[in-house]
Amino acid sequence: MRTDLSIKDYVREEKEALKKRVSTFEKAPKMAIVKVGHDVGSDSYVKGKVKDATEVGMLAEVHQYDETINQETLMEEVRRINEDPSVDGLIVQLPLPKHIKEAEVTALIDPHKDIDGFLPNSPFIPCTPRGIVDYLEAIGFVFQGRNALVIGRSGIVGKPLAKLLLSKDMNVTVTHSKTTHEDMDYYTRHADLIAVATGKAGLLDNSYHFKEDAVVVDVGISRGEDGHLHGDAVPGLPVALQTPVPGGVGLLTRLSLLKNVLEAYEYGLLHR
Ligand code: NAD
């Protein structure tokens, strides 16, 4: 396993390769981002998506709407953008304001444009799980027949990651907020791969036991009272590789989105 390939270097190399590929295309792949109101997290995520797209020669068009937009108008807008043949991928940036029924809006996205991979019939792998597995492949992690522990069962990270690891022939255990410490310790002791996605800073600490050749993928990111960003795992666990926070899974997620846009573009070339 190439533990010397840092996420930063891997992402830089992958983005350079993407940029080269995009430069051979007649037209730039385009993603549209629908955003309602202003939320500190969403504002910075969208800024990051636009920056990433620009860096590799893709287009990212942001459709910003006022917080007070009603359900019907927003749905009309999403329908219109979705039908635009120049749009390869479409993201509805979540969360939407409370008065909007999210599921009704996202259901309007053509699955072949659903680059977030959130719809049940989307052909795309959700960005965070995809980013994690692509990186593990790049460093030569062996999946088949080995034990994975996924901590957290959300619809955007835990569940799709567990499914993806199963498809890589791993033995997958999913734990969650109702799992006892004792049981979790049983699973950490046996895990070759631990992915922790809870949003609980420092949840995975030295009170658990680990295999010394284990890999810990830290998905969680939360801002502590000290104003700093923290992962779900305390730094320096006694394992072979632990991904950092910040500068870890977040970068992989952003890279995957670009790869999904490229795939949506290629699909569009054949079918639109
Ligand atoms: P979520 O709140 O939807 O789900 C959290 C999950 O953690 C739940 O399934 C819950 O059962 C589990 N959990 C909570 N407390 C637990 C405990 N004490 N022990 C075990 N499990 C526990 O969150 P999410 O959307 O899956 O996100 C999780 C974290 O990952 C957040 O910090 C989020 O910001 C981060 N995240 C990062 C990226 C990235 O690209 N870096 C992408 C998505 C999410």
Side-chain angles (χ1 to χ4, degrees):
M1 193 169 63
R2 281 194 60 193
T3 52
D4 60 314
L5 179 60
S6 73
I7 290 182
K8 272 191 181 142
D9 288 343
Y10 163 74
V11 168
R12 193 184 326 105
E13 285 168 17
E14 290 286 290
K15 278 172 88 175
E16 275 164 18
L18 269 176
K19 188 177 174 179
K20 251 192 202 150
R21 232 173 119 200
V22 170
S23 71
T24 66
F25 297 163
E26 266 178 37
K27 94 178 182 39
K30 179 159 94 180
M31 71 171 118
I33 304 166
V34 169
K35 188 163 163 290
V36 180
H38 292 281
D39 161 276
V40 187
S42 297
D43 284 358
S44 84
Y45 292 143
V46 169
K47 233 169 116 182
K49 286 169 190 173
V50 174
K51 182 170 168 273
D52 291 340
T54 312
E55 271 174 23
V56 299
M58 294 183 182
L59 300 171
E61 195 177 71
V62 181
H63 299 259
Q64 173 73 53
Y65 300 97
D66 198 82
E67 176 86 41
T68 57
I69 191 169
N70 64 36
Q71 179 90 28
E72 207 176 304
T73 315
L74 182 62
M75 287 178 70
E76 262 167 42
E77 285 295 293
V78 171
R79 237 180 245 120
R80 179 182 64 76
I81 299 163
N82 183 57
E83 279 164 18
D84 179 345
S86 79
V87 170
D88 299 299
L90 171 56
I91 294 170
V92 173
Q93 188 67 39
L94 302 179
L96 292 174
K98 287 206 171 67
H99 67 277
I100 303 282
K101 293 180 191 111
E102 265 176 21
E104 285 184 16
V105 178
T106 52
L108 296 171
I109 303 173
D110 173 354
H112 291 286
K113 295 191 179 191
D114 176 32
I115 48 179
D116 269 333
F118 290 165
L119 295 173
N121 51 352
S122 173
F124 300 101
I125 301 170
C127 297
T128 302
R130 176 180 184 167
I132 292 168
V133 168
D134 283 358
Y135 174 64
L136 291 172
E137 271 173 0
I139 62 171
F141 177 83
V142 176
F143 295 88
Q144 199 175 34
R146 297 177 79 212
N147 300 332
L149 169 60
V150 177
I151 307 173
R153 55 177 162 182
S154 74
I156 63 162
V157 187
K159 284 197 188 104
L161 178 60
K163 210 172 133 194
L164 192 56
L165 295 172
L166 264 179
S167 77
K168 302 288 293 175
D169 295 329
M170 293 200 82
N171 316 312
V172 182
T173 301
V174 180
T175 57
H176 45 76
S177 54
K178 302 290 185 284
T179 309
T180 63
H181 185 282
E182 190 189 355
D183 283 341
M184 191 115 97
D185 187 47
Y186 171 82
Y187 296 119
T188 58
R189 280 172 194 267
H190 295 90
D192 300 296
L193 173 66
I194 301 174
V196 57
T198 67
K200 302 272 182 292
L203 174 103
L204 194 66
D205 62 14
N206 285 296
S207 65
Y208 296 98
H209 296 81
F210 302 94
K211 285 178 79 168
E212 61 182 19
D213 63 347
V215 171
V216 170
V217 174
D218 194 347
V219 185
I221 185 153
S222 47
R223 197 170 291 279
E225 283 172 12
D226 56 4
H228 293 291
L229 292 175
H230 297 278
D232 286 357
V234 296
L237 291 174
V239 293
L241 176 65
Q242 177 176 355
T243 65
V245 176
V249 172
L251 297 180
L252 299 175
T253 301
R254 288 167 64 170
L255 173 67
S256 296
L257 183 67
L258 298 176
K259 291 185 179 174
N260 282 354
V261 176
L262 190 92
E263 284 173 14
Y265 169 84
E266 284 172 338
Y267 176 88
L269 282 184
L270 294 174
H271 299 95
R272 273 196 289 279

